[in-house]
Amino acid sequence: MIVEQMLAKYPSVTHQDKAHALREVMQEIALAGLYRGGFFEKAAFYGGTCLRIFYGLERFSEDLDFSLLRPEATFSLEPYFDAIIREFSALGLRVDIHAKVKTIESNIDSAFLKNRSEVYDLQISGSKVIKIKFEVDRDPPMGFLTEEKLLLQPFSFYTKCFSLSDLFAGKMHALLFRQWKNRVKGRDWFDFEWYVRRGARLNLDHFYQRAQQSGDVSKADSGQAELLQLVRGKIQKLDIESARQDVVRFIKDPQQLDIWSKNYFNLLADRMIFS
């Protein structure tokens, strides 16, 4: 019944609508399990799914991204697996969760949550199994603030999240320096538009701590003007149509992307606010 109540808040019409709704309900149940396991004593939620669930972003998101509150090289997500499994089990859902085998050493710990429950056959006829990827940054750049955000289902609990200005800083770091070769992640540009339209402030210090840690900028190039120059350079190279194609399946109204152009994004850059 709780899962049905959670799904009822989504105006699902198409199979894609139902898939997005079911994925987001699974994400919220996973957050509840992490809360019960004490995970948020050590980590905070950030990224697109955090922005979607707690800040009202008008697009669906796929992954759960977390950052430790302080560096811990030996941290593992595995001790929290049982708490996640128990949370789904209490709602009549069966899941498998396992650590991702790394091919390249990094500071990101990953796991995948795979639903083996009948809920998929019940909710989405003929759908593939839905997977959720978890990522945890064990060596986070500092300079960020967190706040407690409330979820009411599957029960009332608080999730520790990055503040909006630090989420904005992380998004701009991803937008500018994400290594996607020739692909364009239009979701980054959708989020950039969302932040600017809402007058969100970007934490410049946290952005540069991220960019310096990743080796993308030096301490000498760490001002507001330098960031705007990076943004304008990225816009100049942007393939607008590829950006639209990446994000369109995650939003309800594709017409909202009609205004996208290099000129439009430059005008948005003019309106960025920094803190």
Side-chain angles (χ1 to χ4, degrees):
M1 289 297 295
I2 292 176
V3 173
E4 291 175 0
Q5 291 171 10
M6 294 174 74
L7 287 169
K9 67 183 180 182
Y10 297 92
S12 299
V13 178
T14 67
H15 289 306
Q16 182 168 276
D17 291 337
K18 294 176 182 178
H20 285 318
L22 185 55
R23 180 184 296 278
E24 192 160 295
V25 165
M26 287 180 63
Q27 290 167 340
E28 292 179 355
I29 295 170
L31 290 173
L34 289 169
Y35 166 82
R36 286 201 201 268
F39 177 73
F40 295 110
E41 296 171 11
K42 283 197 166 190
F45 191 24
Y46 76 106
T49 307
C50 179
L51 203 63
R52 162 73 184 175
I53 293 175
F54 291 109
Y55 294 92
L57 179 68
E58 298 101 337
R59 73 163 176 90
F60 286 96
S61 183
E62 296 179 306
D63 303 335
L64 294 175
D65 298 310
F66 304 97
S67 169
L68 295 186
L69 301 178
R70 56 192 60 84
E72 185 179 333
T74 59
F75 177 85
S76 172
L77 193 64
E78 292 191 35
Y80 301 95
F81 284 4
D82 285 346
I84 296 170
I85 292 169
R86 285 195 300 269
E87 199 61 46
F88 279 91
S89 179
L91 298 174
L93 305 173
R94 294 183 301 141
V95 297
D96 285 332
I97 185 167
H98 61 272
K100 180 182 177 181
V101 178
K102 292 183 180 180
T103 56
I104 300 175
E105 185 62 30
S106 74
N107 294 319
I108 306 297
D109 280 341
S110 297
F112 292 91
L113 179 67
K114 183 172 65 177
N115 192 323
R116 292 192 289 112
S117 166
E118 292 298 319
V119 68
Y120 289 112
D121 294 333
L122 177 65
Q123 296 297 329
I124 308 173
S125 178
S127 173
K128 294 181 179 180
V129 173
I130 291 180
K131 295 181 181 180
I132 297 175
K133 184 173 71 172
F134 293 73
E135 291 197 359
V136 183
D137 188 345
R138 295 179 298 169
D139 184 23
M142 293 290 98
F144 61 86
L145 297 176
T146 62
E147 53 189 13
E148 303 290 324
K149 305 293 286 187
L150 177 66
L151 265 182
L152 299 178
Q153 290 180 316
F155 59 89
S156 295
F157 67 97
Y158 287 102
T159 299
K160 192 185 299 294
C161 300
F162 272 42
S163 71
L164 193 61
S165 62
D166 296 312
L167 284 167
F168 194 4
K171 174 53 62 177
M172 292 310 297
H173 178 261
L175 182 151
L176 291 170
F177 305 120
R178 189 187 300 277
Q179 299 300 313
W180 264 36
K181 296 184 179 179
N182 295 325
R183 296 174 62 194
V184 178
K185 190 161 185 180
R187 283 162 280 177
D188 287 342
W189 293 96
F190 186 92
D191 297 356
F192 168 65
E193 177 188 29
W194 185 90
Y195 282 112
V196 175
R197 289 178 62 196
R198 279 151 188 78
R201 293 180 175 273
L202 186 152
N203 183 343
L204 203 61
D205 179 64
H206 183 57
F207 169 82
Y208 277 113
Q209 289 205 41
R210 282 184 172 275
Q212 289 163 15
Q213 186 191 63
S214 63
D216 291 300
V217 300
S218 67
K219 290 184 178 180
D221 300 316
S222 57
Q224 180 175 322
E226 285 79 6
L227 173 54
L228 285 171
Q229 184 176 2
L230 288 170
V231 174
R232 295 192 187 285
K234 195 74 172 182
I235 292 170
Q236 182 61 34
K237 299 177 182 178
L238 179 62
D239 183 332
I240 297 293
E241 186 54 34
S242 294
R244 286 197 187 101
Q245 290 303 313
D246 173 74
V247 75
V248 69
R249 69 186 187 277
F250 295 99
I251 61 176
K252 282 283 189 181
D253 180 16
Q255 290 185 337
Q256 65 186 297
L257 308 180
D258 290 349
I259 195 173
W260 281 20
S261 68
K262 292 181 180 181
N263 182 59
Y264 176 62
F265 285 121
N266 274 309
L267 291 173
L268 290 177
D270 289 339
R271 294 171 181 256
M272 291 177 69
I273 304 171
F274 302 92
S275 62

